[in-house]
């Protein structure tokens, strides 16, 4: 079943989140009409390759034309034509943007499906996806729309005052042109009375429109402070969560719409106030409300405009190295990284030669020794983005950092904090004038970790996760001087996200429970336990030479590079203790096995199977963990297919029969086997056969079976026929080594 069909079967509360994903940037009509085709494309590849994106954009338009030509409904054909034209305008010059939009929507759909299938969402995801937030956003939509309507009505009111004043001015000047004798006539006295009445009505209308302006300005002030600014902070918080693997960030277009409509209302009121000021030059009188109230209201408008525009200058894309798109906020010296800033208001009056300057480590904490500077051009001009409804933005794609050298020629030392605990920031500055108001813009990235070697990447990512999980402060560069503890419930959710983003499938409740027990201890309640930064990332696991995070990160790398097909099928139980493993297997048929990650190796996977002795005694056999060096030579599914055990000269056999709980091995792994013969050379294909020796003198009910490393295999590898022949005619013995590991 396609992803889109599964989406349509969700409950209404989940569909509300889906509805929030689609707007003019990627209309739902296209998602519906081209569902299968869209899901068959590699949008992630296109988002990082302009040439691929251009081809896919062209193909998308072709597919749309095809669907439109087959559509029977006239209205639908018309809508598809309009959407076709809009997409051409938005993305023709930059199709990679379209690919990123579609890729983001598809990923968020997957996350919504995952969360719908889970019995319970994590607390962080619950806080980001709830009906209360949707209701709040609808309320802002309504308030902003009401403000716009009120401002439009005030335009009419000011025009009415202008017409009334023109009429008064004409009558007044006509009266003034009469000679003295005529002025004393009864007719003239009536005219004077009529003018006084007109002036009274004019005064009333001036006071009325100023009163309405005051009410609307106060309403705008309230919307800005009680809703727009909190929504902006909420978006920034969600950006933090997205950076560490949380739900895809959406809502910036909606924010831009609110900010733009609000600032347009403020500018429109300012123009109305300026118009009233012009009217005063023609007609004024004692106690005229305009000269009395206009200066104060102008100051209030300038204040609101200044702060609204200033707050709308945001980092849309946090700094990230293209080589590690799933680990933003980590920068390696000498490696290019990208970032993007955006102004959330559309201001047609602005001079578009708006230059943005970047500065690294503008405000370093006292005592910081390591310092860096931007090696490449750090100034660019903001451009208008057609696909984002005309907002101003600028993307820096080729920034590089270099560490400063000192007079003695040496680089700075690390000080009290490790390299990956030192936080840095990238600042952005700009200045422009709009309608006589000069506005200084300034914003900064989330705190960054700067590394000089890729071996520091795991530690750097631990710091990025810890910071963005535990604080919403935008620039606390001394955070790790005294890092707070993390609640295990929230931390476990973030750890699951790492597997979801990097390996395609998150962790279930049982797997997270095992991780909690490993980190916190078997007798500790994991639900509300506080985890220290040191215990998570710095202290070694008891009896091991690595920390909890280094162990977990090595497993992630192993999955990404060598186990992804098996992991994606949910065949790896993964995080299960040896005690639980035996409990699960003891009552199963002989040959039933399960796959779990090694607790004693960095980046190792093992399998354990159950067997029974002649007396019915249950035995558990575990193979020495396979690490990346061995999995590079042979796919893991092939290892399971071809695995053999030699015992007391008995013909080698594969002891693995059923994947836990009772799935026949070939049924589970059959389509993952690498059965393609080599076509490059006319040779008989050979197969690497993983073999272990089970020693007969082992009296333990749980055996650890060692296998020779790849370097001890015959060269070239034997074919299965050669192996059988040798085993039949030769006294075949395989060198083995005693495993020092407990699993």
């Amino acid at each position: 079943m396609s992803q889109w069909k599964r989406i349509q079967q969700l409950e209404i509360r989940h569909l509300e989140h889906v509805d929030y994903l689609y707007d003019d940037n990627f209309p739902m009509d296209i998602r519906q009409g081209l569902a299968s085709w869209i899901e068959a494309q590699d949008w992630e590849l296109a988002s990082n390759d302009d040439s691929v994106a251009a081809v896919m954009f062209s193909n998308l338009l072709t597919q749309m034309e095809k669907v439109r030509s087959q559509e029977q409904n006239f209205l639908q054909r018309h809508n598809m034509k309009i959407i076709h034209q809009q997409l051409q305008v938005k993305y023709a010059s930059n199709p990679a943007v379209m690919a990123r939009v579609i890729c983001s929507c598809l990923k968020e759909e997957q996350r919504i499906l995952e969360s719908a299938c889970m019995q319970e969402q994590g607390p962080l995801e619950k806080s980001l996806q709830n009906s209360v937030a949707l209701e709040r956003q609808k309320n802002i939509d309504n308030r902003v729309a009401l403000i716009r309507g009120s401002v439009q009505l005030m335009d009419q009111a000011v025009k009415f005052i202008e017409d009334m004043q023109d009429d008064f001015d004409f009558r007044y000047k006509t009266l003034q042109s009469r000679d003295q004798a005529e002025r004393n006539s009864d007719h003239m006295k009536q005219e004077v009375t009529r003018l006084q009445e007109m002036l009274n009505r004019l005064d009333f209308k001036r006071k009325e429109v100023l009163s309405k302006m005051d009410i609307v300005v106060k309403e705008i002030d309230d919307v800005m402070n009680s809703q727009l600014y909190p929504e902006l902070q909420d978006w920034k918080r969600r950006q933090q969560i997205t950076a560490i693997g949380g739900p895809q960030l959406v809502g910036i277009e909606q924010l831009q719409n609110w900010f733009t409509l609000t600032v347009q209302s403020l500018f429109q009121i300012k123009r109305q106030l300026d118009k009233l000021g012009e009217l005063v030059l023609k007609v004024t009188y004692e106690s005229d409300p305009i000269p009395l109230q206009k200066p104060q209201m102008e100051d209030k408008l300038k204040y609101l405009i200044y702060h609204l525009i200033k707050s709308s200058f945001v980092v849309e894309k946090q700094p990230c190295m293209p080589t590690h798109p799933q680990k933003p906020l980590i920068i390696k010296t000498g490696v290019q990284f990208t970032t993007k800033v955006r102004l959330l208001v559309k201001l047609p009056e602005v001079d578009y030669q708006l230059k943005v300057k970047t500065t690294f480590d503008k405000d370093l904490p006292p005592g910081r020794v390591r310092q860096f500077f931007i090696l490449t051009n750090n100034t660019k001009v903001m451009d208008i983005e057609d696909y984002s409804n005309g907002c101003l933005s600028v993307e820096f794609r080729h920034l590089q950092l270099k560490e400063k050298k000192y007079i003695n020629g040496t680089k700075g030392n690390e000080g009290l904090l490790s390299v990956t605990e030192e936080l840095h920031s990238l600042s952005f500055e700009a200045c422009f004038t709009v309608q006589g108001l000069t506005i200084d813009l300034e914003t900064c990235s989330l705190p960054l970790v700067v590394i000089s070697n890729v071996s520091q990447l795991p530690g750097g990512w631990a710091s990025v996760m810890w910071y963005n999980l535990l604080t919403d402060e935008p620039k606390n560069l001394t955070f790790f001087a005294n890092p707070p503890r993390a609640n295990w419930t929230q931390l476990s959710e973030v750890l699951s996200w790492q597997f979801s983003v990097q390996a395609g499938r998150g962790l279930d409740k049982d797997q997270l429970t095992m991780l909690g027990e490993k980190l916190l201890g078997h007798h500790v309640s994991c639900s509300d336990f506080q985890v220290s930064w040191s215990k998570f990332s710095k202290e070694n696991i008891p009896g091991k030479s690595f920390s909890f995070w280094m162990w977990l990160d090595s497993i992630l790398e192993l999955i990404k590079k060598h186990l992804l097909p098996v992991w994606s099928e949910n065949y790896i139980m993964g995080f299960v203790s040896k005690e639980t493993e035996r409990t699960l297997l003891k009552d199963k048929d002989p040959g039933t096995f399960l796959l779990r990650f090694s607790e004693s190796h960095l980046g190792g996977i093992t399998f354990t199977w159950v067997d029974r002795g002649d007396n019915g005694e249950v035995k558990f056999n575990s193979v020495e963990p396979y690490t990346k060096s061995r999995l590079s030579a042979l796919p893991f599914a092939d290892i399971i297919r071809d695995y053999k055990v030699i015992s007391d000269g008995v013909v080698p056999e594969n002891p693995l029969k059923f994947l836990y709980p009772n799935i026949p091995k070939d049924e589970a792994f059959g389509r993952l086997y690498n059965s393609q013969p080599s076509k490059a050379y006319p040779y008989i294909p050979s197969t690497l056969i993983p073999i272990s020796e089970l020693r007969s003198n082992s009296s333990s009910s749980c055996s650890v079976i060692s296998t020779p490393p790849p370097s001890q295999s015959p060269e070239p590898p034997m074919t299965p026929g050669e192996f059988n022949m040798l085993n039949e005619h030769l006294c075949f013995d395989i060198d083995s080594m005693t495993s020092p590991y407990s699993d």
Side-chain angles (χ1 to χ4, degrees):
M1 185 184 297
S2 71
Q3 180 171 302
W4 187 244
K5 286 185 178 179
R6 291 166 60 204
I7 284 287
Q8 292 174 307
Q9 295 177 0
L10 295 177
E11 298 177 11
I12 294 296
R13 61 191 180 94
H14 295 297
L15 289 176
E16 287 179 347
H17 298 304
V18 176
D19 181 61
Y20 188 61
L21 294 176
Y22 294 96
D23 52 24
D24 290 342
N25 290 318
F26 184 30
M28 191 178 289
D29 304 64
I30 303 304
R31 182 67 180 96
Q32 170 76 21
L34 301 178
S36 299
W37 183 85
I38 286 172
E39 292 174 26
Q41 312 307 308
D42 191 343
W43 297 105
E44 189 160 6
L45 173 64
S47 65
N48 296 303
D49 190 319
D50 291 341
S51 59
V52 174
V55 171
M56 290 180 66
F57 178 59
S58 176
N59 291 342
L60 175 69
L61 296 179
T62 302
Q63 291 292 325
M64 288 178 61
E65 278 296 315
K66 183 178 178 181
V67 171
R68 190 170 75 89
S69 65
Q70 298 171 352
E71 178 59 56
Q72 300 299 317
N73 185 289
F74 172 77
L75 183 59
Q76 281 296 101
R77 286 204 308 273
H78 175 74
N79 290 341
M80 290 289 283
K81 180 180 179 181
I82 297 300
I83 293 172
H84 187 284
Q85 293 171 347
Q86 290 174 341
L87 293 183
Q88 281 186 311
V89 171
K90 283 178 180 288
Y91 301 125
S93 61
N94 197 349
V97 174
M98 176 209 67
R100 286 195 287 270
V101 170
I102 298 178
C103 183
S104 175
C105 288
L106 293 178
K107 285 183 178 179
E108 188 58 22
E109 283 182 8
Q110 291 173 355
R111 183 178 291 278
I112 292 172
L113 284 170
E114 283 186 14
S115 65
C117 295
M118 292 173 61
Q119 292 183 352
E120 183 178 358
Q121 285 181 303
L124 282 173
E125 194 149 357
K126 276 184 178 178
S127 68
L128 298 174
Q129 298 181 355
N130 57 67
S131 57
V132 175
L134 293 174
E135 287 300 318
R136 189 176 68 241
Q137 290 155 6
K138 289 178 182 178
N139 179 260
I140 299 175
D141 282 336
N142 292 334
R143 291 189 71 182
V144 170
L146 286 173
I147 288 171
R148 289 295 294 158
S150 298
V151 173
Q152 298 294 346
L153 289 175
M154 285 194 302
D155 255 356
Q156 299 176 23
V158 171
K159 183 66 169 64
F160 181 79
I161 291 174
E162 183 180 13
D163 293 341
M164 181 186 293
Q165 180 169 308
D166 286 345
D167 188 23
F168 172 85
D169 189 47
F170 175 76
R171 289 176 178 270
Y172 179 79
K173 289 180 178 178
T174 300
L175 180 63
Q176 288 291 97
S177 66
R178 302 290 177 87
D179 57 35
Q180 190 64 34
E182 288 183 294
R183 293 183 187 179
N184 294 326
S185 66
D186 291 340
H187 176 71
M188 287 297 100
K189 290 179 181 180
Q190 291 176 359
E191 187 67 21
V192 169
T193 302
R194 190 178 299 113
L195 282 174
Q196 185 60 53
E197 290 174 353
M198 290 182 68
L199 186 60
N200 291 340
R201 287 200 303 273
L202 184 62
D203 180 64
F204 175 80
K205 286 297 181 181
R206 284 185 174 186
K207 289 178 179 178
E208 183 183 53
V209 76
L210 286 170
S211 175
K212 288 181 179 178
M213 281 185 183
D214 185 59
I215 291 172
V216 174
V217 169
K218 286 179 179 178
E219 174 70 2
I220 293 175
D221 191 6
D222 183 66
V223 167
M224 286 170 55
N225 287 286
S226 67
Q227 292 188 292
L228 291 190
Y229 291 159
E231 283 295 323
L232 179 60
Q233 290 305 118
D234 182 65
W235 179 85
K236 290 180 178 180
R237 179 58 182 155
R238 284 185 282 120
Q239 188 182 49
Q240 285 185 269
I241 298 303
T242 298
I244 56 175
Q248 288 293 311
L249 183 63
V250 294
I252 193 168
E253 298 297 336
Q254 191 174 44
L255 270 176
Q256 180 186 315
N257 184 54
W258 292 334
F259 272 72
T260 296
L261 290 176
T262 303
V263 82
Q264 285 176 349
S265 295
L266 288 169
F267 276 123
Q268 194 167 350
I269 295 173
K270 185 176 181 299
R271 288 193 295 270
Q272 293 166 356
L273 203 57
D274 291 340
K275 186 63 178 178
L276 292 178
E278 293 174 8
L279 296 180
V280 170
L281 297 177
K282 295 180 179 180
V283 175
T284 188
Y285 46 89
E286 187 178 352
S287 301
D288 186 348
I290 296 177
L292 293 175
Q293 299 181 35
K294 182 174 178 288
Q296 183 179 357
M297 193 171 292
E298 275 185 332
D299 290 342
K300 182 66 174 179
L301 286 170
K302 289 179 180 179
Y303 176 86
L304 294 177
I305 291 170
Y306 179 87
H307 286 280
L308 185 63
I309 295 178
K310 191 174 179 67
S311 65
S312 74
F313 190 49
V314 299
V315 180
E316 182 180 356
K317 294 180 183 178
Q318 295 293 334
C320 180
M321 295 185 292
T323 52
H324 295 82
Q326 295 169 338
K327 293 184 177 179
L329 304 174
I330 301 178
I331 308 301
K332 182 179 179 296
T333 53
V335 175
Q336 290 185 353
F337 65 95
T338 65
T339 186
K340 181 180 180 182
V341 292
R342 177 170 176 171
L343 199 61
L344 295 177
V345 291
K346 181 181 177 182
L347 299 173
E349 300 90 347
V350 173
D351 176 5
Y352 291 117
Q353 291 299 310
L354 178 57
K355 293 184 179 180
V356 178
K357 179 182 178 182
T358 62
T359 307
F360 199 80
D361 279 345
K362 181 181 178 182
D363 301 306
L364 271 181
R368 182 65 62 85
V369 178
R370 296 173 72 236
Q371 296 183 28
F372 303 87
F373 64 94
I374 297 174
L375 190 62
T376 48
N377 181 26
N378 67 337
T379 303
K380 288 190 73 175
V381 176
M382 297 190 90
D383 294 319
I384 303 176
E385 294 183 342
D386 292 332
Y387 64 86
S388 61
N389 299 320
C391 84
L392 284 167
S393 70
V394 60
E395 185 168 12
F396 294 87
R397 296 187 177 183
H398 307 291
L399 296 176
Q400 283 188 48
L401 292 183
K402 184 176 179 63
E403 187 169 356
K404 291 183 179 179
K405 292 187 177 182
Y406 298 86
I407 297 175
N408 57 10
T410 61
K411 296 181 180 180
N413 56 45
E414 297 177 5
L416 297 176
L417 299 177
S418 69
V419 169
T420 56
E421 290 175 318
E422 284 188 0
L423 299 180
H424 306 262
S425 71
L426 186 64
S427 302
F428 304 88
E429 297 174 335
C431 181
F432 70 97
T433 300
V434 55
Q435 293 195 0
L437 184 63
T438 300
I439 300 176
D440 296 313
L441 301 176
E442 184 174 359
T443 190
C444 66
S445 70
L446 290 169
L448 306 170
V449 174
V450 181
I451 62 175
S452 56
N453 192 291
V454 290
S455 63
Q456 298 166 332
L457 192 63
W461 185 239
S463 297
V464 170
M465 286 193 298
W466 204 262
Y467 182 95
N468 290 287
L469 169 64
L470 297 178
T471 182
D472 59 1
E473 294 182 75
K475 197 177 178 180
N476 183 0
L477 303 186
T478 60
F479 177 83
F480 284 102
N482 185 25
R485 291 172 175 263
N487 181 287
W488 169 248
T489 303
Q490 290 186 325
L491 179 59
S492 64
E493 187 178 6
V494 174
L495 295 181
S496 179
W497 288 345
Q498 307 314 301
F499 285 82
S500 179
V501 171
Q502 300 184 49
R505 183 172 62 82
L507 304 180
D508 60 31
K509 185 177 180 181
D510 292 335
Q511 291 170 325
L512 291 172
T513 297
M514 183 272 178
L515 289 180
E517 291 175 350
K518 186 172 183 65
L519 181 61
L520 309 174
H522 288 276
H523 305 294
V524 178
S525 172
C526 297
S527 60
D528 57 356
F529 194 81
Q530 301 290 310
V531 183
S532 71
W533 163 245
S534 180
K535 191 172 187 65
F536 175 74
S537 179
K538 302 182 76 172
E539 297 175 8
N540 287 342
I541 296 173
K544 303 295 187 293
S545 60
F546 44 81
S547 68
F548 172 84
W549 169 246
M550 291 300 292
W551 170 72
L552 195 63
D553 183 74
S554 68
I555 290 172
L556 266 170
E557 287 298 309
L558 190 73
I559 293 174
K560 284 195 300 181
K561 295 179 179 178
H562 303 289
L563 302 174
L564 201 55
V566 183
W567 174 262
S568 299
E569 295 291 341
N570 203 16
Y571 292 156
I572 300 176
M573 188 170 291
F575 300 104
V576 55
S577 65
K578 283 175 285 189
E579 293 75 11
T580 303
E581 175 186 68
R582 296 176 193 179
T583 300
L584 295 174
L585 290 175
K586 67 179 182 180
D587 296 325
K588 295 297 179 181
D589 293 335
T592 301
F593 66 99
L594 58 78
L595 311 175
R596 67 178 177 87
F597 297 116
S598 169
E599 296 183 62
S600 59
H601 285 64
L602 277 178
I605 186 169
T606 182
F607 44 81
T608 299
W609 71 92
V610 64
D611 202 357
R612 298 187 184 277
D614 295 336
N615 59 356
E617 177 189 6
V618 177
K619 292 185 177 182
F620 303 96
N621 302 301
S622 297
V623 70
E624 184 179 343
Y626 287 87
T627 57
K628 63 181 181 181
S629 60
R630 299 169 69 188
L631 292 174
S632 297
L634 196 61
F636 191 54
D638 287 8
I639 290 175
I640 293 172
R641 177 191 62 189
D642 300 327
Y643 182 74
K644 298 290 190 296
V645 170
I646 294 178
S647 177
D648 295 331
V650 177
V651 174
E653 64 174 16
N654 191 331
L656 309 178
K657 307 297 182 185
F658 305 98
L659 177 66
Y660 180 87
N662 56 3
I663 308 173
K665 175 190 64 180
D666 290 338
E667 180 181 322
F669 297 96
R671 64 191 189 87
L672 302 179
Y673 295 154
N674 183 19
S675 57
Q676 298 295 324
S678 174
K679 298 180 180 179
Y681 303 101
Y683 298 141
I684 298 175
S686 62
T687 302
L688 283 169
I689 301 179
I691 302 173
S692 297
E693 179 182 14
L694 182 62
R695 298 181 177 181
S696 59
N697 60 353
S698 175
S699 59
S700 171
S701 62
C702 182
S703 303
V704 178
I705 303 176
S706 61
T707 59
S711 60
Q712 293 178 309
S713 300
E715 293 293 344
M718 291 183 293
T719 65
E722 290 172 333
F723 178 86
N724 291 335
M725 181 179 67
L726 286 172
N727 188 64
E728 182 178 353
H729 296 287
L730 299 178
C731 181
F732 188 78
D733 187 24
I734 297 179
D735 294 332
S736 62
M737 58 182 179
T738 303
S739 172
Y741 303 104
S742 58
D743 57 353

